[in-house]
mmCIF file of all heavy atoms in Angstrom:
data_model
loop_
_atom_site.group_PDB
_atom_site.id
_atom_site.type_symbol
_atom_site.label_atom_id
_atom_site.label_comp_id
_atom_site.label_asym_id
_atom_site.label_seq_id
_atom_site.Cartn_x
_atom_site.Cartn_y
_atom_site.Cartn_z
ATOM 1 N N LEU A 16 2.942 -9.476 -4.260
ATOM 2 C CA LEU A 16 2.111 -9.721 -5.382
ATOM 3 C C LEU A 16 1.408 -11.057 -5.351
ATOM 4 O O LEU A 16 0.252 -11.227 -5.595
ATOM 5 C CB LEU A 16 2.851 -9.513 -6.614
ATOM 6 C CG LEU A 16 3.341 -8.081 -6.989
ATOM 7 C CD1 LEU A 16 4.205 -8.061 -8.191
ATOM 8 C CD2 LEU A 16 2.234 -7.095 -7.091
ATOM 9 N N TRP A 26 -7.597 -12.385 -2.322
ATOM 10 C CA TRP A 26 -8.241 -12.154 -3.559
ATOM 11 C C TRP A 26 -9.689 -12.711 -3.646
ATOM 12 O O TRP A 26 -10.008 -13.746 -3.226
ATOM 13 C CB TRP A 26 -7.501 -12.835 -4.720
ATOM 14 C CG TRP A 26 -7.906 -12.423 -6.061
ATOM 15 C CD1 TRP A 26 -8.880 -13.029 -6.832
ATOM 16 C CD2 TRP A 26 -7.440 -11.329 -6.889
ATOM 17 N NE1 TRP A 26 -9.020 -12.374 -8.000
ATOM 18 C CE2 TRP A 26 -8.184 -11.351 -8.120
ATOM 19 C CE3 TRP A 26 -6.573 -10.340 -6.639
ATOM 20 C CZ2 TRP A 26 -7.981 -10.358 -9.066
ATOM 21 C CZ3 TRP A 26 -6.366 -9.377 -7.570
ATOM 22 C CH2 TRP A 26 -7.057 -9.417 -8.812
ATOM 23 N N TYR A 63 -8.295 0.915 -3.180
ATOM 24 C CA TYR A 63 -7.800 2.069 -3.972
ATOM 25 C C TYR A 63 -6.291 2.264 -3.685
ATOM 26 O O TYR A 63 -5.498 2.442 -4.597
ATOM 27 C CB TYR A 63 -8.520 3.362 -3.640
ATOM 28 C CG TYR A 63 -8.036 4.585 -4.279
ATOM 29 C CD1 TYR A 63 -8.315 4.880 -5.619
ATOM 30 C CD2 TYR A 63 -7.130 5.382 -3.637
ATOM 31 C CE1 TYR A 63 -7.804 5.948 -6.243
ATOM 32 C CE2 TYR A 63 -6.602 6.559 -4.197
ATOM 33 C CZ TYR A 63 -6.942 6.834 -5.559
ATOM 34 O OH TYR A 63 -6.397 7.919 -6.157
ATOM 35 N N ILE A 65 -4.125 0.013 -2.736
ATOM 36 C CA ILE A 65 -3.384 -1.061 -3.374
ATOM 37 C C ILE A 65 -3.297 -0.909 -4.802
ATOM 38 O O ILE A 65 -2.249 -1.136 -5.458
ATOM 39 C CB ILE A 65 -3.996 -2.474 -2.924
ATOM 40 C CG1 ILE A 65 -3.719 -2.612 -1.378
ATOM 41 C CG2 ILE A 65 -3.420 -3.592 -3.739
ATOM 42 C CD1 ILE A 65 -4.450 -3.831 -0.752
ATOM 43 N N LEU A 66 -4.501 -0.480 -5.435
ATOM 44 C CA LEU A 66 -4.430 -0.290 -6.882
ATOM 45 C C LEU A 66 -3.419 0.794 -7.210
ATOM 46 O O LEU A 66 -2.701 0.655 -8.281
ATOM 47 C CB LEU A 66 -5.811 0.109 -7.377
ATOM 48 C CG LEU A 66 -6.771 -1.002 -7.733
ATOM 49 C CD1 LEU A 66 -8.168 -0.444 -8.054
ATOM 50 C CD2 LEU A 66 -6.288 -1.835 -8.876
ATOM 51 N N SER A 67 -3.376 1.858 -6.437
ATOM 52 C CA SER A 67 -2.406 2.910 -6.638
ATOM 53 C C SER A 67 -0.999 2.467 -6.674
ATOM 54 O O SER A 67 -0.180 2.831 -7.581
ATOM 55 C CB SER A 67 -2.625 3.976 -5.588
ATOM 56 O OG SER A 67 -1.718 5.039 -5.805
ATOM 57 N N SER A 68 -0.658 1.537 -5.758
ATOM 58 C CA SER A 68 0.663 0.967 -5.760
ATOM 59 C C SER A 68 0.926 0.026 -6.849
ATOM 60 O O SER A 68 2.004 0.034 -7.539
ATOM 61 C CB SER A 68 0.903 0.330 -4.414
ATOM 62 O OG SER A 68 0.879 1.152 -3.342
ATOM 63 N N LEU A 69 -0.125 -0.787 -7.150
ATOM 64 C CA LEU A 69 0.119 -1.650 -8.314
ATOM 65 C C LEU A 69 0.349 -0.953 -9.597
ATOM 66 O O LEU A 69 1.154 -1.328 -10.451
ATOM 67 C CB LEU A 69 -1.075 -2.603 -8.454
ATOM 68 C CG LEU A 69 -1.276 -3.674 -7.417
ATOM 69 C CD1 LEU A 69 -2.674 -4.399 -7.476
ATOM 70 C CD2 LEU A 69 -0.252 -4.813 -7.574
ATOM 71 N N TYR A 70 -0.444 0.240 -9.709
ATOM 72 C CA TYR A 70 -0.254 0.985 -10.990
ATOM 73 C C TYR A 70 1.201 1.547 -11.029
ATOM 74 O O TYR A 70 1.808 1.518 -12.101
ATOM 75 C CB TYR A 70 -1.218 2.151 -10.921
ATOM 76 C CG TYR A 70 -1.234 3.021 -12.152
ATOM 77 C CD1 TYR A 70 -1.940 2.589 -13.323
ATOM 78 C CD2 TYR A 70 -0.594 4.289 -12.148
ATOM 79 C CE1 TYR A 70 -1.870 3.422 -14.423
ATOM 80 C CE2 TYR A 70 -0.598 5.050 -13.306
ATOM 81 C CZ TYR A 70 -1.278 4.612 -14.435
ATOM 82 O OH TYR A 70 -1.233 5.386 -15.577
ATOM 83 N N ARG A 71 1.681 2.006 -9.942
ATOM 84 C CA ARG A 71 3.036 2.497 -9.916
ATOM 85 C C ARG A 71 4.064 1.437 -10.335
ATOM 86 O O ARG A 71 4.954 1.600 -11.103
ATOM 87 C CB ARG A 71 3.426 3.121 -8.562
ATOM 88 C CG ARG A 71 4.859 3.665 -8.637
ATOM 89 C CD ARG A 71 5.253 4.129 -7.297
ATOM 90 N NE ARG A 71 6.631 3.934 -7.065
ATOM 91 C CZ ARG A 71 7.204 3.311 -5.997
ATOM 92 N NH1 ARG A 71 6.341 2.981 -5.035
ATOM 93 N NH2 ARG A 71 8.432 3.156 -5.926
ATOM 94 N N SER A 73 3.586 -1.173 -11.914
ATOM 95 C CA SER A 73 3.382 -1.665 -13.315
ATOM 96 C C SER A 73 3.985 -0.672 -14.340
ATOM 97 O O SER A 73 4.072 -0.964 -15.495
ATOM 98 C CB SER A 73 1.890 -1.850 -13.632
ATOM 99 O OG SER A 73 1.250 -0.645 -13.717
ATOM 100 N N GLU A 81 5.255 -6.696 -15.255
ATOM 101 C CA GLU A 81 4.116 -7.328 -15.930
ATOM 102 C C GLU A 81 3.184 -7.993 -14.949
ATOM 103 O O GLU A 81 1.897 -7.962 -15.124
ATOM 104 C CB GLU A 81 4.681 -8.380 -17.029
ATOM 105 C CG GLU A 81 5.346 -7.665 -18.164
ATOM 106 C CD GLU A 81 4.414 -6.650 -18.917
ATOM 107 O OE1 GLU A 81 3.248 -6.989 -19.099
ATOM 108 O OE2 GLU A 81 4.907 -5.544 -19.223
ATOM 109 N N LYS A 82 3.665 -8.631 -13.922
ATOM 110 C CA LYS A 82 2.915 -9.310 -12.862
ATOM 111 C C LYS A 82 2.055 -8.273 -12.190
ATOM 112 O O LYS A 82 0.818 -8.480 -11.978
ATOM 113 C CB LYS A 82 3.770 -10.064 -11.881
ATOM 114 C CG LYS A 82 3.016 -10.906 -11.021
ATOM 115 C CD LYS A 82 4.019 -11.753 -10.156
ATOM 116 C CE LYS A 82 3.299 -12.911 -9.459
ATOM 117 N NZ LYS A 82 4.214 -13.827 -8.872
ATOM 118 N N ALA A 83 2.641 -7.087 -11.835
ATOM 119 C CA ALA A 83 1.884 -6.008 -11.190
ATOM 120 C C ALA A 83 0.782 -5.435 -12.105
ATOM 121 O O ALA A 83 -0.359 -5.263 -11.671
ATOM 122 C CB ALA A 83 2.821 -4.920 -10.826
ATOM 123 N N ARG A 84 1.087 -5.422 -13.427
ATOM 124 C CA ARG A 84 0.040 -4.952 -14.364
ATOM 125 C C ARG A 84 -1.080 -5.834 -14.559
ATOM 126 O O ARG A 84 -2.235 -5.404 -14.572
ATOM 127 C CB ARG A 84 0.700 -4.651 -15.756
ATOM 128 C CG ARG A 84 -0.209 -3.996 -16.704
ATOM 129 C CD ARG A 84 -0.670 -2.659 -16.220
ATOM 130 N NE ARG A 84 -1.783 -2.160 -16.900
ATOM 131 C CZ ARG A 84 -2.120 -0.860 -16.981
ATOM 132 N NH1 ARG A 84 -1.243 0.074 -16.430
ATOM 133 N NH2 ARG A 84 -3.151 -0.462 -17.595
ATOM 134 N N THR A 85 -0.727 -7.136 -14.559
ATOM 135 C CA THR A 85 -1.877 -8.143 -14.603
ATOM 136 C C THR A 85 -2.768 -8.093 -13.453
ATOM 137 O O THR A 85 -4.028 -8.109 -13.620
ATOM 138 C CB THR A 85 -1.330 -9.579 -14.884
ATOM 139 O OG1 THR A 85 -0.534 -9.528 -16.082
ATOM 140 C CG2 THR A 85 -2.360 -10.622 -14.926
ATOM 141 N N ILE A 86 -2.170 -8.053 -12.283
ATOM 142 C CA ILE A 86 -2.943 -8.079 -11.078
ATOM 143 C C ILE A 86 -3.749 -6.731 -10.957
ATOM 144 O O ILE A 86 -4.957 -6.704 -10.574
ATOM 145 C CB ILE A 86 -2.064 -8.209 -9.838
ATOM 146 C CG1 ILE A 86 -1.447 -9.648 -9.807
ATOM 147 C CG2 ILE A 86 -2.830 -7.947 -8.505
ATOM 148 C CD1 ILE A 86 -0.349 -9.799 -8.798
ATOM 149 N N TYR A 87 -3.161 -5.619 -11.358
ATOM 150 C CA TYR A 87 -3.828 -4.275 -11.381
ATOM 151 C C TYR A 87 -5.013 -4.299 -12.323
ATOM 152 O O TYR A 87 -6.076 -3.985 -11.873
ATOM 153 C CB TYR A 87 -2.827 -3.221 -11.852
ATOM 154 C CG TYR A 87 -3.507 -1.965 -12.192
ATOM 155 C CD1 TYR A 87 -3.790 -1.046 -11.122
ATOM 156 C CD2 TYR A 87 -3.874 -1.571 -13.459
ATOM 157 C CE1 TYR A 87 -4.491 0.205 -11.384
ATOM 158 C CE2 TYR A 87 -4.523 -0.409 -13.792
ATOM 159 C CZ TYR A 87 -4.854 0.416 -12.751
ATOM 160 O OH TYR A 87 -5.453 1.642 -13.044
ATOM 161 N N ASP A 88 -4.836 -4.815 -13.477
ATOM 162 C CA ASP A 88 -5.976 -4.891 -14.463
ATOM 163 C C ASP A 88 -7.104 -5.747 -13.970
ATOM 164 O O ASP A 88 -8.259 -5.361 -14.042
ATOM 165 C CB ASP A 88 -5.477 -5.402 -15.811
ATOM 166 C CG ASP A 88 -4.635 -4.421 -16.617
ATOM 167 O OD1 ASP A 88 -4.671 -3.175 -16.310
ATOM 168 O OD2 ASP A 88 -3.886 -4.841 -17.515
ATOM 169 N N ASP A 89 -6.739 -6.840 -13.401
ATOM 170 C CA ASP A 89 -7.828 -7.773 -12.920
ATOM 171 C C ASP A 89 -8.560 -7.234 -11.723
ATOM 172 O O ASP A 89 -9.749 -7.297 -11.632
ATOM 173 C CB ASP A 89 -7.207 -9.203 -12.571
ATOM 174 C CG ASP A 89 -6.730 -9.940 -13.748
ATOM 175 O OD1 ASP A 89 -7.091 -9.587 -14.913
ATOM 176 O OD2 ASP A 89 -5.989 -10.936 -13.625
ATOM 177 N N LEU A 90 -7.761 -6.680 -10.792
ATOM 178 C CA LEU A 90 -8.361 -6.050 -9.564
ATOM 179 C C LEU A 90 -9.285 -4.898 -9.953
ATOM 180 O O LEU A 90 -10.418 -4.780 -9.493
ATOM 181 C CB LEU A 90 -7.266 -5.703 -8.551
ATOM 182 C CG LEU A 90 -7.823 -5.050 -7.256
ATOM 183 C CD1 LEU A 90 -8.777 -5.908 -6.493
ATOM 184 C CD2 LEU A 90 -6.639 -4.719 -6.325
ATOM 185 N N ARG A 91 -8.744 -3.954 -10.735
ATOM 186 C CA ARG A 91 -9.460 -2.830 -11.111
ATOM 187 C C ARG A 91 -10.797 -3.244 -11.808
ATOM 188 O O ARG A 91 -11.948 -2.729 -11.511
ATOM 189 C CB ARG A 91 -8.664 -2.028 -12.111
ATOM 190 C CG ARG A 91 -9.353 -0.800 -12.650
ATOM 191 C CD ARG A 91 -8.335 0.062 -13.483
ATOM 192 N NE ARG A 91 -8.997 1.209 -14.037
ATOM 193 C CZ ARG A 91 -9.548 1.248 -15.285
ATOM 194 N NH1 ARG A 91 -9.433 0.141 -15.998
ATOM 195 N NH2 ARG A 91 -10.203 2.344 -15.638
ATOM 196 N N GLY A 92 -10.717 -4.191 -12.765
ATOM 197 C CA GLY A 92 -11.992 -4.667 -13.413
ATOM 198 C C GLY A 92 -12.970 -5.249 -12.440
ATOM 199 O O GLY A 92 -14.168 -5.044 -12.524
ATOM 200 N N ASN A 93 -12.492 -6.085 -11.459
ATOM 201 C CA ASN A 93 -13.350 -6.680 -10.498
ATOM 202 C C ASN A 93 -14.109 -5.688 -9.658
ATOM 203 O O ASN A 93 -15.253 -5.772 -9.393
ATOM 204 C CB ASN A 93 -12.503 -7.595 -9.528
ATOM 205 C CG ASN A 93 -12.100 -8.889 -10.197
ATOM 206 O OD1 ASN A 93 -12.561 -9.223 -11.255
ATOM 207 N ND2 ASN A 93 -11.252 -9.623 -9.541
ATOM 208 N N LEU A 94 -13.422 -4.627 -9.209
ATOM 209 C CA LEU A 94 -14.002 -3.605 -8.412
ATOM 210 C C LEU A 94 -14.990 -2.794 -9.208
ATOM 211 O O LEU A 94 -16.098 -2.560 -8.682
ATOM 212 C CB LEU A 94 -12.930 -2.590 -7.914
ATOM 213 C CG LEU A 94 -11.987 -3.187 -6.817
ATOM 214 C CD1 LEU A 94 -10.699 -2.321 -6.605
ATOM 215 C CD2 LEU A 94 -12.769 -3.419 -5.497
ATOM 216 N N LEU A 134 -12.299 7.562 -9.258
ATOM 217 C CA LEU A 134 -10.812 7.733 -9.524
ATOM 218 C C LEU A 134 -10.159 6.480 -10.078
ATOM 219 O O LEU A 134 -9.331 6.583 -10.904
ATOM 220 C CB LEU A 134 -10.151 8.210 -8.205
ATOM 221 C CG LEU A 134 -10.578 9.558 -7.619
ATOM 222 C CD1 LEU A 134 -9.786 9.738 -6.303
ATOM 223 C CD2 LEU A 134 -10.267 10.609 -8.595
ATOM 224 N N ILE A 135 -10.675 5.361 -9.660
ATOM 225 C CA ILE A 135 -10.190 4.036 -10.206
ATOM 226 C C ILE A 135 -10.549 3.981 -11.650
ATOM 227 O O ILE A 135 -9.743 3.593 -12.494
ATOM 228 C CB ILE A 135 -10.775 2.877 -9.451
ATOM 229 C CG1 ILE A 135 -10.219 2.851 -7.937
ATOM 230 C CG2 ILE A 135 -10.507 1.548 -10.066
ATOM 231 C CD1 ILE A 135 -10.953 1.894 -6.993
ATOM 232 N N MET A 136 -11.758 4.361 -12.022
ATOM 233 C CA MET A 136 -12.172 4.307 -13.491
ATOM 234 C C MET A 136 -11.296 5.327 -14.226
ATOM 235 O O MET A 136 -10.926 4.970 -15.429
ATOM 236 C CB MET A 136 -13.627 4.681 -13.603
ATOM 237 C CG MET A 136 -14.572 3.715 -13.039
ATOM 238 S SD MET A 136 -16.241 4.445 -13.025
ATOM 239 C CE MET A 136 -17.145 2.913 -13.573
ATOM 240 N N ALA A 137 -10.963 6.363 -13.706
ATOM 241 C CA ALA A 137 -10.137 7.443 -14.468
ATOM 242 C C ALA A 137 -8.657 7.042 -14.376
ATOM 243 O O ALA A 137 -7.878 7.799 -14.963
ATOM 244 C CB ALA A 137 -10.397 8.799 -13.881
ATOM 245 N N GLU A 138 -8.314 6.111 -13.519
ATOM 246 C CA GLU A 138 -6.928 5.793 -13.230
ATOM 247 C C GLU A 138 -6.182 7.041 -12.700
ATOM 248 O O GLU A 138 -5.077 7.314 -13.162
ATOM 249 C CB GLU A 138 -6.224 5.182 -14.453
ATOM 250 C CG GLU A 138 -6.846 3.823 -14.831
ATOM 251 C CD GLU A 138 -6.019 3.095 -15.910
ATOM 252 O OE1 GLU A 138 -5.951 3.682 -16.983
ATOM 253 O OE2 GLU A 138 -5.482 1.969 -15.668
ATOM 254 N N ALA A 139 -6.789 7.703 -11.742
ATOM 255 C CA ALA A 139 -6.247 8.887 -11.114
ATOM 256 C C ALA A 139 -5.722 8.561 -9.823
ATOM 257 O O ALA A 139 -6.501 8.276 -8.876
ATOM 258 C CB ALA A 139 -7.289 9.968 -11.079
ATOM 259 N N TYR A 140 -4.424 8.376 -9.698
ATOM 260 C CA TYR A 140 -3.783 7.980 -8.464
ATOM 261 C C TYR A 140 -2.650 9.062 -8.100
ATOM 262 O O TYR A 140 -2.130 9.705 -8.930
ATOM 263 C CB TYR A 140 -3.000 6.681 -8.627
ATOM 264 C CG TYR A 140 -3.961 5.600 -9.091
ATOM 265 C CD1 TYR A 140 -3.874 5.089 -10.396
ATOM 266 C CD2 TYR A 140 -4.915 5.008 -8.276
ATOM 267 C CE1 TYR A 140 -4.701 4.016 -10.901
ATOM 268 C CE2 TYR A 140 -5.784 4.039 -8.777
ATOM 269 C CZ TYR A 140 -5.685 3.587 -10.016
ATOM 270 O OH TYR A 140 -6.495 2.659 -10.491
#
Side-chain angles (χ1 to χ4, degrees):
L16 293 173
W26 190 269
Y63 175 79
I65 291 170
L66 275 174
S67 176
S68 293
L69 287 168
Y70 184 79
R71 180 182 145 230
S73 73
E81 291 303 316
K82 188 173 195 170
R84 186 62 196 204
T85 299
I86 296 168
Y87 168 81
D88 287 340
D89 291 347
L90 178 57
R91 180 175 176 266
N93 287 350
L94 289 164
L134 295 178
I135 292 169
M136 291 170 138
E138 295 186 297
Y140 305 108

